[in-house]
Amino acid sequence: MKIMAMLGTCNTNNPAVLAWVKEMTELCQPDRVFWCDGSAAEKEALTVQAVEQGALLKLNQDKLPGCYYHRSHPNDVARVEQCTYICTESEDEAGPTNNWAAPKEMKAKLLGMARGAMKGRTLYVIPYLMGPAGSPLSKVGFELSDSIYVVLNMGIMTRMGRIALDELGDSDEFNRGLHCMLDVNPERRYICHFPHENLIISVGSAYGGNVLLGKKCLALRIGSYLGRKQGWMAEHMLILGVESPAGETTYVAAAFPSACGKTNFAMMIPPEQFKGWKIWTVGDDIAWMKPGPDGRLHAVNPEAGYFGVAPGTNLKSNPNAMRSIARNTIYTNVALTPDLDVWWEGKDGEPPAQATDWQGRPWTPASKDKAAHPNSRFTAPMVNNPALSPEVNNPHGVPISAIIFGGRRATTFPLVFETFNWQHGVFVGATVGSEMTAAAVGGLGQVRRDPMAMLPFCGYNMGDYFRHWFHMRKSLKFPPRIFHVNWFRKDASGQFLWPGFGENMRVLKWIVDRCHARANATETPLGWVPGSRDIDLSGLDGFSAEQLEKALAIDVEEWRRELLMQEELFLKLHHSLPKELLFQRELLVSRL
Ligand code: OXD
Ligand code: MN
């Protein structure tokens, strides 16, 4: 093997780390190995290199200081659930909602593909920390990747470099992640998780959740597996704090499927009438939660940045996101204007008269294709967010008072309801359905069951995952109340029944007030529903109490159909379904 140049400073004597990097280096045979330290100087140097190599394009620095642009291969624009595997000894452990492969065979196949795959390339060693330094919930990972784009994204999305090595010390407890781009060929694309070994191998992709291994792979799939073993929860949830004019802050976690508005909700600015109310963002995508000594559920955000969907992001839908992405941001697969600014469908202002689309083709407003890919993204550091919670680095996390589930549903689900208790809440979370979005390949618009918004992210048998949820109740003296929301209900003419965005504060206030036992609700077959007078509509011009009633209405016929649709999930999981879920279903049937 060629003698490799060692760049960056290795900076660790941890024998387990050194041994693994050596083994993978011998396998992948890169020309160079670069140890990332996470410093500002390193970021600058790597960015210059990425521009020279064509991986990044420097955007208009007057308009977007520190911002860069990337296009992924057109065959590689979203998470690929069909190529994502959980590799456990028994297929039953992965369960019927995951693709499964035997670990030995899959590892042999992937390592075979990785052999010599980095010849002529650089292997970047990316040490990263998920979660605040010093937190009992935090985890260290090492991603070995041949993509400079991955390094620069991981530098935003995680606490990368020295801080992770310091946290790890001499321990051999870290996630091993290998990422080889290969020839970015969908035929040779595999995102594989080996939970028993705390190992991830991703090959053949260079985009988003497939390759930023700290995010979906470690923080959710491996995380959920470890959480069950160790008595905590890894969830696809935003975390936010609601501060009242009296200075009381109530923390809420919410699970919505991908591209259903978690980032918008987490960064919401309350409407003008809500003087003195303030939303603080703790996280926009993932929550790690553990019972605290006070008997409450405490949550940390394992990430340090936002990998958000660009289309539809504007000053109305998410002003804080617009501020967060104004500097030091990487844009991927959006459109480019002639003055090197970015554009996407739904951005503020008129569309540019001319642009270059996400595939590098000339685009005008008359073009039939979209300028930005529907799953185009921004990668922005959380420190850019004007509403970033001061608690984001608190190693103890924040105490959660409410958990909210939600999906994108044109019918059936009312704007909001509160479940009767934790067990009922688990049932409601387990049966979440949502219309599919562009965040994953395939099925756009179809309603699919997405339990707890974790269908693509649960690293083990979904039936056991539900059991773990029921079990967690036992370690909580003060469990969060559980709610369901639907911002996406439409009337017969296809118009949204609720204005959404910042106006969701009105619903959130009711939720917070319920947590403090100071809001009214009516008992219905679904749970506790606010009356139209229980939600503050002041200043919401042109929106009447009758409209709110429509958004809150429950149609028993629609619910009969919904129950039948839910059956599909129950049949798929019948082998491992906890009986509590069947009881809850029976209770709902009898109430209806
Ligand atoms: C994401 C997703 O990128 O859920 O967060 O797809
Ligand atoms: Mn997500």
Side-chain angles (χ1 to χ4, degrees), residues 79 215-216 236 258 285 307 377 439 457:
R79 285 182 292 97
K215 193 173 179 62
K216 302 302 182 180
H236 192 202
S258 306
D285 195 40
F307 184 64
R377 299 278 181 146
F457 307 122

Side-chain angles (χ1 to χ4, degrees), residues 295-297 400-402 422 472-473 476-482:
R296 304 185 67 185
L297 191 59
I400 299 297
S401 297
W422 179 269
M472 286 302 296
R473 173 67 184 86
L476 293 168
K477 189 156 176 222
F478 305 106
R481 294 188 183 214
I482 300 182

Side-chain angles (χ1 to χ4, degrees), residues 18 33 63 139 174 223 263 265 325 360 440 489 497 512 549 579:
L18 293 174
V33 175
K63 288 185 163 180
K139 302 260 176 264
F174 58 90
T263 305
F265 194 52
I325 63 181
R489 195 172 191 180
L497 280 168
V512 166
E549 271 160 27
K579 61 181 181 322

